[in-house]
Amino acid sequence: MRNILLIEDEPLIQKSLQKILEKKGAKVSVESSGKSAINTIMANDFDRIICDLMLQDTTGFDVIEESKKKYSLADISKIFIIITAYSSPQVHEKASNYGCKIISKPFEDMDKAIEAFLGEESRQ
Amino acid sequence: MEDKSNSRIKKGKRQLKVHFPKNGGYRTLIDHFKINTEMYPTLKPTSSSHLASLLIETDQNKLSFINNLKLIDQETITLPEENENLTSFLKLFESALVINDNSSWKKKQVRELIRKTKKNKAPMKKVNSLFRDNVPTSGAINLIQSREELDKLFVKLETLETLPKNLIENNVFNTYESCQILIHERGKPVIDNFIYDPHGKLSNSIIPVKNFNSIYSLIKKSKNKLFNQSNILKEDLGVVGTFLAKEIDLKNHAIVLIISRNAFLLPTEYELNYFNEIVQLLSPLLENLLIKEKALKKIRNIKLTLDNFPFPTSIVDKGSSSSNAIFSNQFSSADNLDQDYRHDSFQINDETELIIGRPDLSTNSSDIYHHQRVSLLGELLNTLQHELSNPLFGLKLSADLLKMDSSDSEISQTLTEVADNALRCQTIIKNFSYLYNDESSLTKVNLLNLTKETITLTKSASRQIPKKIKTMGFDDDDDYFITLNPTWISQILFNLIINSAQAITLHSEEKISQNSIEVFLEKTPLNINVSVSDTGPGIPEELIEQVSKPFFTTKDQGTGLGLSICHSLANKLGGQLQFKNNKNKKGTTFTLNLPRVGN
């Protein structure tokens, strides 16, 4: 059972994505703001953290930075998946600095995206 | 007195110039001859014999006291100061005034009288004429009382306008009330007219050259420079009665100087000569003043021009000095040097050159208007995209979610359509955002899609007009991908289609819907050509050269910049924009030729 944290502030996306993933058998927690997300990350262990870049109070990158206190860089690249509507070259470059995967919103290929979220190739 | 002759008192005139010294028997004379001083306002004691202003005339033993120019040749008689002598003097005086045929004897009498009054004074100079042919004779300078008086007059003279006032304030003219100066700069159609009036006010007016010329020539012709207003009855003269006037002939100016008592008493010979002399001495000074004023005016005008030019401008003034003076305005500072400017220079006249810098549109720096328009729209689309993207995505996800739950194929299909349309909305926004990419970056774009999207943007202007897209030379769908700046291409296409649409809408004789606009995409071995052609009225022969010029437009609205922007964008793309009127059909075709470089 995958333990997934979804950090997304757009309510409709949060709700639908959570439900979709739960239907696929995952356990999904949600956070709307970066600050509370960081607290949750520190307090819990997740197999996957799906993080939107544009949050109300911070950016997804700030959350990842904070997570470095808990996870190694290698783990970060495995655990975090960034989703965003802003897929400019600069964003891609920054994401590659962390070694994370980026999926653009809207998902061109829904199934592929879901697969990545649930991805078997996490730890180990 | 011995009276050898027959003393017949004839009708005639006998003149004696009389000087009343300040403490002399002025009052006695007045009383003796019972002179009505009100009638003779100039009858007053003066400090110098030169300033004697009274002439006594007898006519049938009646004495009258007037001023008369001809008396210049007369010797001046000074009334003695002491009273005792005065009485005997007066008797002598009276008899001297009696006209006699034996004028030689009378002359003797007069001389006797004069001798009696001379005392120890130096012999007075006979002044016939102070000026011959406008050149002062040696006797002239003596008229000017002192060097200080002269300096006082000149030092105060800062501008020509103050001259009338200064003259009036001069001692010699203290009975004078108004002074007028008319200045004509040669070649100009108007005259500057300054009048200093009896109330001490200086007024200024402009009068036409015609009036001035007649005054000037009259004054010039006159020998004695003394005038009566009836000679020159012009409204422009600010004086009344008799006046003195002199013309001054300078290199670039003609000046007339007029001074008057505003009464009908004639000026004295002395005043006349003094006036002439002053004017003579003033002439070079006036010349300098005028030159200075002209130079200052030119600098003022240059500065005013520069302040009002909205782009970097310099004016080079050669002028009379050997070095050039360069005036620049605030836009020519170093801050503006990062923008590329072209400099055009224009020769305004022999002395002045105008240099204007304008932004160089052919360099890499963007056209300002285009840049502004694009960046605003770009901002708008960006914001729109981000704001709409999330809800639309949410819609899609929700539909997908429902689909997952539903086993009903119809519901499932409907939900798929919902999801697809939500996705379509997002794609549309994303595509338009590409069109307004601000950076001059190269992107791989599908030319056909770009064309379709651009046409959609023109809907509001071209609604009723049928549009078609034709292609040639492209193998398959992928072949439409080319690498260039999509913003620029779409801007050019957009402008051309709008122009065609407006031409048809405003000028077509047929119904709008019977016209058409066609976009033709052609791929050749060397080029990719994008053409826009319409069935409108075409471009008139005489305007063909003008239409591409900035700010040229035949429409009521719009900036007239559309085509010139298209040309500069075409250059930026490495291609060129051409157009010609369609031969057989109506209308015009614009073609953008883009050379293929690795495309």
Side-chain angles (χ1 to χ4, degrees), chain A residues 71-99:
Chain A
Y71 296 109
S72 69
L73 213 56
D75 284 339
I76 283 187
S77 67
K78 285 184 198 145
I79 294 174
F80 277 86
I81 291 185
I82 292 171
I83 57 173
T84 181
Y86 299 75
S87 58
S88 68
Q90 292 93 324
V91 167
H92 278 269
E93 199 187 312
K94 212 165 177 187
S96 65
N97 285 345
Y98 294 111

Side-chain angles (χ1 to χ4, degrees), chain A residues 8-10 12-13 15-17 19-20 23-24 52 83 85-86 105-108 110, chain B residues 385-387 389-391 393-398 400-401 404-405 423 426-427 430 439:
Chain A
E8 164 69 63
D9 65 342
E10 177 69 36
L12 188 56
I13 299 175
K15 221 165 62 172
S16 348
L17 202 51
K19 288 220 177 99
I20 290 174
K23 278 205 191 299
K24 294 283 183 183
D52 183 26
I83 57 173
Y86 299 75
K105 289 194 285 187
F107 305 145
E108 281 163 16
M110 186 55 138
Chain B
Q385 183 191 6
H386 292 136
E387 291 302 309
S389 144
N390 277 341
F393 184 45
L395 273 175
K396 182 180 176 307
L397 281 178
S398 304
D400 285 341
L401 187 62
M404 284 165 96
D405 273 346
L423 189 62
Q426 276 199 294
T427 314
K430 200 155 77 168
E439 304 141 35

